Amino acid sequence: MTMTDTCCSIHPYFQVQPGQLPAFRRLCERFIEKTRPEPGCLYYGFSVAGDVVHCREGYVDAAALLRHVENVAALIEEALQISAIARLEVHGPAAELEKLRGPLANLSVEFYTFECGFRR
């Protein structure tokens, strides 16, 4: 049986301003609280390398990813008061990425098309 994988992931890298990492970490907890109840979220968490914070997150499809972006919009605005987006990637199958290009057009997104692999 073949499964069509519609999973989309978004990878923002936040360059945190000097001295603001403790405040950003508190924001991470709020992001997690806000995201936890989203039914379309497959995984969500933060990784830190120096003063760069990466949000590792995946969604069942493009629609779930867009619902998430809307859900955390106010928190993103708060985060951007003490950081800047250093890089923003979106990964997923071509058909799902097409659903994201228009809604995310105002951002500097690098789109990566899923070509091969598997998901359990």
Side-chain angles (χ1 to χ4, degrees):
M1 176 185 239
T2 302
M3 179 183 98
T4 301
D5 188 354
T6 58
C7 177
C8 293
S9 59
I10 185 167
H11 306 266
Y13 294 81
F14 296 91
Q15 178 69 54
V16 180
Q17 296 172 3
Q20 294 296 322
L21 196 53
F24 199 94
R25 283 190 163 116
R26 288 190 296 276
L27 269 174
C28 291
E29 293 301 321
R30 292 175 54 208
F31 272 107
I32 291 167
E33 283 178 34
K34 187 90 169 153
T35 302
R36 189 180 308 277
E38 293 178 12
C41 183
L42 298 170
Y43 58 87
Y44 194 84
F46 292 88
S47 304
V48 179
D51 56 0
V52 176
V53 178
H54 170 251
C55 187
R56 182 179 168 272
E57 50 190 302
Y59 301 89
V60 296
D61 58 18
L65 186 150
L66 290 173
R67 283 191 301 273
H68 168 73
V69 170
E70 183 178 314
N71 184 42
V72 298
L75 287 172
I76 292 169
E77 290 303 317
E78 279 188 59
L80 293 177
Q81 298 302 308
I82 58 172
S83 70
I85 300 285
R87 181 175 180 157
L88 180 60
E89 303 171 2
V90 174
H91 299 243
E96 293 300 305
L97 293 182
E98 285 309 311
K99 298 172 188 175
L100 298 170
R101 290 182 191 279
L104 301 180
N106 62 327
L107 304 173
S108 295
V109 178
E110 292 180 68
F111 289 96
Y112 289 82
T113 304
F114 176 72
E115 290 193 5
C116 60
F118 70 93
R119 186 172 75 115
R120 295 186 199 266

